[in-house]
Amino acid sequence: MRVGVTDTPSENWFHMWAAPSYSSIDEDFAAIAELGVDHVRLFPLWPLLQPNAGWIDPKAVDRVLDVVELAKTHGLDAEVDVLQGHLSSFDFLPSWVSTWHEANIFTEPRVVEAEERLIRLLARELSGVEGAFGLGLGNEIVQFSAARNPHAYPLTQAQAATWTQRLLSVAKEQWPDGIHSISFDEDVWFDDFMPFTPELAASAGDVTTVHSWIFGKVGEHYGDDYDALVLFARYLVELANAWGNRPIWLQEIGAPVPLISPERSAGFLTDVLGTLASAPNLEAVTWWCSHDVNRKFADFPELEYSLGLLDSQNRVKPAGKALKRAIGAFVEKPAGVRGALSFDGTRRSQTAPGGELFAAWLEAAKEGQMLALEESI
Amino acid sequence: MRVGVTDTPSENWFHMWAAPSYSSIDEDFAAIAELGVDHVRLFPLWPLLQPNAGWIDPKAVDRVLDVVELAKTHGLDAEVDVLQGHLSSFDFLPSWVSTWHEANIFTEPRVVEAEERLIRLLARELSGVEGAFGLGLGNEIVQFSAARNPHAYPLTQAQAATWTQRLLSVAKEQWPDGIHSISFDEDVWFDDFMPFTPELAASAGDVTTVHSWIFGKVGEHYGDDYDALVLFARYLVELANAWGNRPIWLQEIGAPVPLISPERSAGFLTDVLGTLASAPNLEAVTWWCSHDVNRKFADFPELEYSLGLLDSQNRVKPAGKALKRAIGAFVEKPAGVRGALSFDGTRRSQTAPGGELFAAWLEAAKEGQMLALEESI
């Protein structure tokens, strides 16, 4: 199993993409590599890459390639998410889809054509860069179609699938041996009305991605139950596996306050990775994140300031040390013969924490039985 | 009277601020200086200057100072508008006032405090740069409070005045001898419901700014009447003068298609400047704009692609030649003793083209009598 981290640059967070300080990024990657991980996720900002629908900034593209190459000098492979889009509560949409140029980013032809041009260019350029291993369409970009979004784009399931397949096809065409994916928050698995569906999540692209954040439904229903919080990532992996038997990438997992206090984050990390040793089809885990957000940046959700494995001076935090130890000690185990719980795939919401399926799975897991999940239709 | 142009960089429009090519900007300024003008307006993008409420990017600030200095090497003084904001139909609002972080940019305390920090820093830095002559709060930023805006921030007249005075005071405090201003589209003069008022426009800051665009109400009512289109800027200057007897800056004026065809733009420019020779209190005119928008940029209103005095290869267009000739020939004339038309200041909309006041003023102006306007309360 590969283990990596999401790169949250110590100097100026993702705003660094406007004018990267390569010496600072170099130091970050050196510190990240010291954690024993083998890959990073990188998040350039969409409005900087493509300031106008008709123009991709070649300097901004060069910066992405430069940063990927720099990562490789530290032995770190890199995945690049393209359409950011959305990061840590902030939306970064280009001016040509907003206000006077308001357009649905999933369905408006001029916008989707522009997105396709950007994906095509980055896939082509990155395919030739050592260490680059794949593209993501955009970090949790699907949240722009969620009803809870303050500015949701209306979308049908068919439209969501069309958009996803179209852009992933472009990436694959330009970069056949890249591992390309689309990522989701938990709505895809749990929200009956999310137009991006579990079937799509478990079939589009080369790998099924899972983002496990305990501040979602599991925190809501099991906030005081440490074991439930620890086991949630494994549950999501089982659920993803039930929806599609193929490689799974636990692409986001972290230890957010207040559910996990800073003192407990190292233990939480160790315990979570312990639950994953026998997870079916799980090929990679990417911890969120490399660096704490610097307190000079305002308006982030409180939890974002302490999610780092490193602080903003590149000092290793206890969770960073725990990750290094856990990687050293990690031994994959076969899942073996085991029982399974079935669920009704037509009602996603019933698979969420708070429902009977999760309760039953959790009860068995606490007793050491990691049950499989299976969709019964 | 000073004459200048708005700088619309030939290479990458205002997106150049992310990574300026100084050699290209140098060539632009050389070509602009050749037109015989003495100043430029500069529009950095707000999200690049201040990517986070708590952090102003020092590299982005340095770029502004560098560009101002570069302008001065060509004899061009520079005004810098800070909160862009809005340019040529595109909105550039930072992520920390949008969607999940939605906030009224005129009234939300955390946002106004951040704006104040940016104005303070730029005023302080620019005050020491030779050639810098003043700050604008943000190019037509008031349009974010207009009812026709797809995402208007609700605002009272008192709130509009408070915001304006607060930010202009900060600029003045840091840079006492700078000429600081706020700018408006014609709504301020003509829309009864625009919270930024003519009284405010004609009293806040060091100069009253006027933006004269014939695609507004005059085009709507007098689109076929060339003389009306030519005389509109002078009318607005008279109106501004009626609202406040102090220096006036005709800060935006241009020759947009289809009202003015490309073949007629040079004549239009010459004719407009001719009407301004005796305009009261008029101290400066800034033509919009230096360079055509390159066709590689999509989604601009059609008129934006041909407003330049120079094309995107820095070749002088006929309007550019006309400007140079007009500057050489320009002689200010005293307004002399003249008649005046009065209007009811409580009903701004009655002063707009389409109403009796404009019709009467236009009729006299066509006969060579440039009547003054006066508010009767």
Side-chain angles (χ1 to χ4, degrees), chain B residues 49-176:
Chain B
L49 284 170
Q50 196 169 29
N52 179 275
W55 182 63
I56 296 165
D57 187 346
K59 292 180 187 172
V61 173
D62 284 347
R63 282 176 220 139
V64 174
L65 305 182
D66 290 344
V67 171
V68 171
E69 285 174 358
L70 196 50
K72 190 62 186 173
T73 66
H74 294 279
L76 298 167
D77 293 333
E79 188 241 20
V80 176
D81 270 81
V82 180
L83 304 171
Q84 276 77 238
H86 179 83
L87 290 166
S88 300
S89 86
F90 294 97
D91 287 345
F92 297 95
L93 290 176
S95 62
W96 45 276
V97 305
S98 305
T99 60
W100 299 97
H101 294 270
E102 182 62 37
N104 186 317
I105 63 171
F106 301 110
T107 59
E108 174 70 28
R110 72 170 174 87
V111 175
V112 181
E113 284 159 22
E115 293 167 345
E116 193 180 304
R117 286 192 292 274
L118 181 60
I119 297 281
R120 178 176 294 117
L121 179 68
L122 273 174
R124 189 169 63 222
E125 295 292 324
L126 284 166
S127 68
V129 178
E130 199 191 340
F133 69 86
L135 278 189
L137 294 188
N139 186 50
E140 294 185 5
I141 193 169
V142 303
Q143 61 90 19
F144 285 108
S145 73
R148 64 191 170 83
N149 190 297
H151 189 70
Y153 300 112
L155 200 65
T156 65
Q157 290 189 4
Q159 287 171 324
T162 298
W163 180 84
T164 304
Q165 302 289 6
R166 175 174 171 180
L167 294 187
L168 284 170
S169 302
V170 167
K172 202 67 185 172
E173 184 186 296
Q174 296 296 319
W175 188 1

Side-chain angles (χ1 to χ4, degrees), chain A residues 19 52 59 89 91 99 101 298-299, chain B residues 19 52 59 89 91 99 101 298:
Chain A
N52 179 275
K59 292 180 186 172
S89 85
D91 287 345
T99 59
H101 294 270
D299 303 328
Chain B
N52 179 275
K59 292 180 187 172
S89 86
D91 287 345
T99 60
H101 294 270

Side-chain angles (χ1 to χ4, degrees), chain A residues 11-12 15 18-21 48 51-55 57 59 63 86 88-92 95-96 99-101 110 143 148-151 296-300, chain B residues 11-12 15 18-21 48 51-55 57 59 63 86 88-92 95-96 99-101 110 143 148-151 296-300:
Chain A
E11 187 171 316
N12 303 335
H15 300 305
S21 162
L48 294 175
N52 179 275
W55 183 63
D57 187 344
K59 292 180 186 172
R63 282 176 219 139
H86 178 82
S88 301
S89 85
F90 294 97
D91 287 345
F92 297 96
S95 63
W96 45 275
T99 59
W100 299 96
H101 294 270
R110 74 171 173 88
Q143 62 89 19
R148 65 193 170 81
N149 190 297
H151 189 68
K296 77 179 177 186
F297 293 111
D299 303 328
F300 280 79
Chain B
E11 186 171 316
N12 303 333
H15 299 305
S21 162
L48 294 175
N52 179 275
W55 182 63
D57 187 346
K59 292 180 187 172
R63 282 176 220 139
H86 179 83
S88 300
S89 86
F90 294 97
D91 287 345
F92 297 95
S95 62
W96 45 276
T99 60
W100 299 97
H101 294 270
R110 72 170 174 87
Q143 61 90 19
R148 64 191 170 83
N149 190 297
H151 189 70
K296 76 178 177 186
F297 293 111
D299 304 327
F300 280 78

